[in-house]
Amino acid sequence: MSLPWRPLLAGEAAARALAAAGDIAAVTARGVSFYPRNLRPEGVPVWENALSSGRVGQCLLHAYLALHGAGAGDAHADVAIDLLDQATEAAAGLRLGTSLYLGFPGIAWTAAHLAGRLFADEEDGNREVDEVLLRSLSRSPWEGAYDLFTGLVGLGVYALERLPRPAAAQCLEAVVAQLARRAERHPEGAAFFSPVGDLPPQFRGELPQGAYVLGMGQGVAGVIALLGAACQAGVAAPAARSLLAATVSWLLARERPPESGYRFPQFHFSGAAARESPLAWRVGDLGIAASLLLAARGAGEPAWEAAGRRVALAAAARHPDLAGGAGAGLSDGPAGIGHVFNRLYQATGETALAEAARRWLDQALAQRTPGVGIAGFRITYRGEWLDEPGFARGATGIGLALLAAVSQVDPAWDRALLLSTLPIPLS
């Protein structure tokens, strides 16, 4: 049985957060890309419609404002549906890949997530997507990445959202089977290697041989969270449970002592010096803590629960200068950090995590500069400050995190971040 979601902020802080979320929604209602021509990334139509940065991600903020019951709730619902329709129609004419954050599964995930919440799902328009993904997952070996952003874990997130449909269960079973084939077996447990081409571009020169990535967005923590969710859902549970135990064992063997100032490095490669991980949802201790708690709740392992709490509380004590990204967004910025701490607090009741959540959300609001960007928020991209409307790094994600801090509506949109099964009590 799930615990009810409770507003984190009150009074003036809540008013500021809700006003910022509303202002972001007012700008993103157009659902357009804000990249200047000289810096627009390759595949612009994809970016303009993807979950990560485009219309389909932007529609989530309007949807949750409608669910929250904010002023003009019906208008927010209409905008959300219109943005989703635009992305769906555009996808029909684009060559989209199979990644959750930049491909057609992200559009389909959003439609599945909002069905029954914002509109009736009378025709189940995702059946063709299920069939395409099942065909793709039947190929062995899997030639793509394994991670949440671009690979197998992201497809598992889509399948979780579609349960209990038989095709979704088959998709999730196939993802677990492909992860099991991909796993490397070591004395310490199961590990997932990323060749150099799968690493973030800025680290490829430093790690030309590839590396083991530990974080949530592109690393092993995402695998752990997904396998925990599969155990909880009762899909491929024996296989998922076995691989999960081995993967947690390998990850915990990488934990550093408390005096290090951080618990897990960003990468692991034998013989390479440990790189301190920034504090963010995407990389490092915070996402790892969330993944361990999710795994503990899904598999019923109190020892993993204790490890997740230990890492989360250590992260709460870290200095704000250790945040990851330039900007306030979900992936690397203080809005995302604040939201994960909020989710962890709601799951555990640890007051130190609530205090950290408030502190980081306040820092996100402090980055707001009236008159610039999208409702005052900007990010850096290739060394330039840009107006980014998106879900992962941009204003939409900031708005969702701020809204979650003042609403009584469970922010289940963070299933896309592999966070939202955390409120389920450990039995």
Side-chain angles (χ1 to χ4, degrees):
M1 184 175 181
S2 298
L3 298 172
W5 183 264
R6 304 174 299 280
L8 178 77
L9 302 179
E12 182 182 354
R16 290 174 62 214
L18 186 58
D23 290 346
I24 292 167
V27 179
T28 59
R30 296 192 298 272
V32 296
S33 173
F34 287 79
Y35 287 102
R37 292 183 181 277
N38 63 326
L39 286 173
R40 300 187 100 188
E42 296 180 5
V44 167
V46 174
W47 281 71
E48 289 179 343
N49 293 285
L51 174 61
S52 174
S53 55
R55 294 181 179 92
V56 71
Q58 293 165 47
C59 89
L60 289 170
L61 177 56
H62 292 275
Y64 273 82
L65 281 166
L67 295 173
H68 173 70
D74 289 344
H76 283 301
D78 291 342
V79 170
I81 293 170
D82 182 58
L83 290 174
L84 179 60
D85 287 344
Q86 289 181 45
T88 302
E89 291 170 8
L94 297 173
R95 296 184 63 182
L96 297 177
T98 57
S99 74
L100 180 68
Y101 275 71
L102 283 176
F104 66 84
I107 299 173
W109 178 91
T110 306
H113 182 71
L114 296 181
R117 286 184 171 86
L118 206 64
F119 54 83
D121 187 20
E122 298 175 351
E123 298 183 359
D124 189 11
N126 281 358
R127 283 178 293 184
E128 184 177 347
V129 173
D130 297 344
E131 294 170 1
V132 170
L133 293 181
L134 280 170
R135 287 196 297 271
S136 180
L137 287 165
S138 69
R139 300 174 189 145
S140 186
W142 177 260
E143 295 181 354
Y146 74 85
D147 63 281
L148 170 59
F149 280 161
T150 63
L152 287 167
V153 173
L155 299 187
V157 168
Y158 167 78
L160 285 167
E161 200 65 31
R162 293 278 289 159
L163 290 176
R165 295 174 178 83
Q170 293 170 26
C171 185
L172 186 54
E173 289 168 356
V175 167
V176 172
Q178 290 283 10
L179 287 170
R181 295 186 192 103
R182 181 70 173 261
E184 297 179 355
R185 302 292 174 167
H186 298 267
E188 296 164 323
F192 290 81
F193 184 75
S194 295
V196 63
D198 290 347
L199 297 178
Q202 65 268 34
F203 298 114
R204 293 173 187 171
E206 178 183 339
L207 297 163
Q209 71 278 58
Y212 299 91
V213 183
L214 273 63
M216 181 72 94
Q218 293 169 283
V220 69
V223 174
I224 288 170
L226 178 70
L227 293 173
C231 290
Q232 179 188 314
V235 176
R241 180 66 175 77
S242 175
L243 182 58
L244 176 59
T247 308
V248 171
S249 174
W250 184 90
L251 176 65
L252 291 179
R254 312 273 82 76
E255 187 174 2
R256 298 173 62 81
E259 58 268 23
S260 300
Y262 65 102
R263 292 305 178 97
F264 292 92
Q266 191 166 355
F267 305 102
H268 170 76
F269 192 83
S270 181
R275 168 186 282 273
E276 181 174 0
S277 58
L279 193 61
W281 164 78
R282 181 179 62 86
V283 297
D285 295 351
L286 191 56
I288 289 171
S291 75
L292 288 169
L293 261 75
L294 196 151
R297 305 296 170 90
E301 281 288 344
W304 302 348
E305 168 96 2
R309 286 176 182 250
R310 178 178 70 241
V311 176
L313 290 169
R318 290 180 68 177
H319 194 276
D321 289 345
L322 297 174
L330 286 179
S331 179
D332 297 281
I337 297 170
H339 180 71
V340 180
F341 275 126
N342 189 9
R343 179 59 84 176
L344 292 169
Y345 160 65
Q346 304 272 351
T348 65
E350 296 277 3
T351 57
L353 302 180
E355 292 168 2
R358 294 186 185 100
R359 185 166 64 249
W360 283 102
L361 291 170
D362 184 67
Q363 186 174 121
L365 283 167
Q367 289 194 17
R368 190 180 187 195
T369 303
V372 303
I374 298 177
F377 293 103
R378 309 191 87 193
I379 68 162
T380 57
Y381 179 79
R382 297 181 183 177
E384 300 287 340
W385 283 99
L386 295 181
D387 306 342
E388 161 63 275
F391 170 76
R393 297 185 64 198
T396 288
I398 297 168
L400 283 164
L402 295 172
L403 178 62
V406 303
S407 182
Q408 292 183 329
V409 176
D410 190 311
W413 53 263
D414 67 6
R415 292 178 184 175
L417 307 177
L418 275 173
L419 295 174
S420 65
T421 59
L422 288 177
I424 296 173
L426 186 64
S427 57

